[in-house]
Amino acid sequence: MLIDLNKLYYSPEGEEVVNIKIWMVLGEGSVFLVFLLTGLVIMQRTIKKEIALVRQQRNFLLSITHELKTPIAAIKLGIQTLLKRKNLPDKQREKLEKSALNNTERLHDLIDNVLLATRIESGQHPLHLIPTNLSDLTKKICQDFELSPGFKGELITSIEDNLTINVDSTAFESILINLLDNALKYGEGKRTEVTLKESGSFIFLEVSDQGPGIPIEERRRVFDKFYRMGNEETRSRKGTGIGLFIVKELVELHGGNITIGTNSDSGSTFIVRLPA
Ligand code: ADP
């Protein structure tokens, strides 16, 4: 039966008058409105995400330029001095040579991290999982870290013996080194603690520092690629915002997860949970 939209319709009892046209127009109008609002919300979110990404990429470019320029300038100056002043005392000569070597290592690590992030992102970083004594590996990484030239402060370890699981040892090293680097960088030269323990069917690696900590609202975002707290103009610590991105991705490739807690006094605790 065809409905005449201009006609008034009555209920079977003959009391209620139903104007079908009004209801249809209202119905269609509200569906349209819902679609329009949903579209607007989605568009607003996409634009917000794009703006954040562009800002982060700009920050990354600014910081990586700075990160590359500083050690290159230091190396250049060191070599120029060595060449100009041939009769420099041995002690000073050695100091300049060591500084050039440290800066070269800094550049090397930076480029390694950028390449690793790119490989991980494009899914071209397969893990080689082999049974590994994580306790021994963690102890070794911590000892080497303490001996590294830029190390200052105090590193306290509490490592349960003989915790053996399937891991990619190079990836595990990247995870721990990145966390230790941050603890040293943001921990203001105070105490850093590394704990490795088994609980239930998981192994927990915790790295704590006594720096300013990370506010709750930032604890998810710091794992985003290129994300750094604050802004490039006011930030004093060097960095590129890819360290924690690498850490999170590598932990997840192992089937684990990473969270951030607060220390009892101050500072942050990064908690890595790996399936045992
Ligand atoms: P970056 O190269 O900037 O250190 P990361 O990805 O390692 O990059 O860290 C992202 C951001 O998270 C840092 O810029 C810093 O703002 C914050 N952050 C990371 N680790 C710590 C920490 N231990 N204490 C305080 N803030 C931290």
Side-chain angles (χ1 to χ4, degrees):
M1 185 190 81
L2 281 175
I3 298 172
D4 180 353
L5 293 178
N6 294 313
K7 193 174 158 192
L8 292 177
Y9 286 84
Y10 295 89
S11 66
E13 291 76 32
E15 292 161 351
E16 202 178 314
V17 180
V18 183
N19 189 331
I20 290 192
K21 189 179 178 186
I22 290 176
W23 285 114
M24 277 181 75
V25 169
L26 279 179
E28 280 170 11
S30 44
V31 169
F32 174 74
L33 207 67
V34 169
F35 274 119
L36 188 75
L37 286 176
T38 318
L40 281 176
V41 170
I42 293 174
M43 213 162 87
Q44 193 214 20
R45 282 194 189 153
T46 316
I47 291 172
K48 255 187 161 176
K49 268 191 193 163
E50 283 296 315
I51 291 175
L53 194 70
V54 169
R55 191 174 302 142
Q56 281 170 23
Q57 280 172 344
R58 180 181 154 269
N59 274 350
F60 174 70
L61 275 180
L62 281 174
S63 53
I64 198 141
T65 315
H66 176 75
E67 287 294 291
L68 290 172
K69 270 174 80 176
T70 315
I72 289 175
I75 295 169
K76 188 176 161 193
L77 191 71
I79 295 176
Q80 279 172 341
T81 315
L82 285 171
L83 285 175
K84 231 189 256 170
R85 301 182 55 192
K86 300 273 188 217
N87 52 354
L88 213 61
D90 281 353
K91 225 175 177 182
Q92 279 189 39
R93 177 167 287 276
E94 195 183 323
K95 204 173 157 198
L96 285 172
E97 286 165 354
K98 270 191 183 156
S99 156
L101 187 64
N102 290 344
N103 278 305
T104 317
E105 269 162 15
R106 186 172 150 194
L107 280 176
H108 182 265
D109 291 348
L110 173 68
I111 291 164
D112 259 5
N113 251 7
V114 174
L115 290 177
L116 180 59
T118 314
R119 277 205 309 274
I120 292 174
E121 228 187 358
S122 55
Q124 287 166 354
H125 189 72
L127 292 188
H128 302 290
L129 298 175
I130 31 178
T132 307
N133 186 325
L134 213 57
S135 313
D136 289 350
L137 183 60
T138 307
K139 280 179 200 160
K140 187 183 174 304
I141 296 169
C142 289
Q143 278 160 8
D144 290 349
F145 189 76
E146 257 185 308
L147 294 175
S148 62
F151 179 78
K152 59 179 188 302
E154 198 187 353
L155 180 64
I156 308 243
T157 55
S158 160
I159 298 169
E160 272 179 29
D161 280 330
N162 294 325
L163 299 178
T164 300
I165 56 164
N166 281 335
V167 285
D168 179 318
S169 50
T170 316
F172 183 77
E173 197 165 332
S174 284
I175 294 170
L176 184 48
I177 293 278
N178 269 301
L179 293 178
L180 284 171
D181 267 343
N182 279 353
L184 183 70
K185 188 161 55 169
Y186 301 103
E188 297 165 352
K190 295 182 197 156
R191 197 175 66 230
T192 302
E193 284 178 37
V194 174
T195 308
L196 188 78
K197 59 185 179 205
E198 188 167 17
S199 177
S201 47
F202 295 99
I203 284 186
F204 290 89
L205 167 73
E206 296 181 6
V207 179
S208 312
D209 61 65
Q210 299 197 312
I214 299 179
I216 291 175
E217 64 278 11
E218 297 275 17
R219 288 187 188 167
R220 282 168 75 95
R221 277 194 286 173
V222 288
F223 293 106
D224 288 350
K225 198 172 65 165
F226 306 147
Y227 187 79
R228 306 190 71 209
M229 288 186 331
N231 70 60
E232 214 51 49
E233 284 76 28
T234 56
R235 216 174 273 128
S236 56
R237 307 289 199 295
K238 63 189 173 70
T240 52
I242 51 175
L244 288 182
F245 167 75
I246 290 176
V247 170
K248 179 171 179 279
E249 294 292 316
L250 291 178
V251 168
E252 286 178 357
L253 282 173
H254 280 89
N257 70 350
I258 179 163
T259 48
I260 303 176
T262 312
N263 265 348
S264 42
D265 344 328
S266 68
S268 9
T269 302
F270 286 82
I271 306 158
V272 174
R273 194 178 71 155
L274 296 170

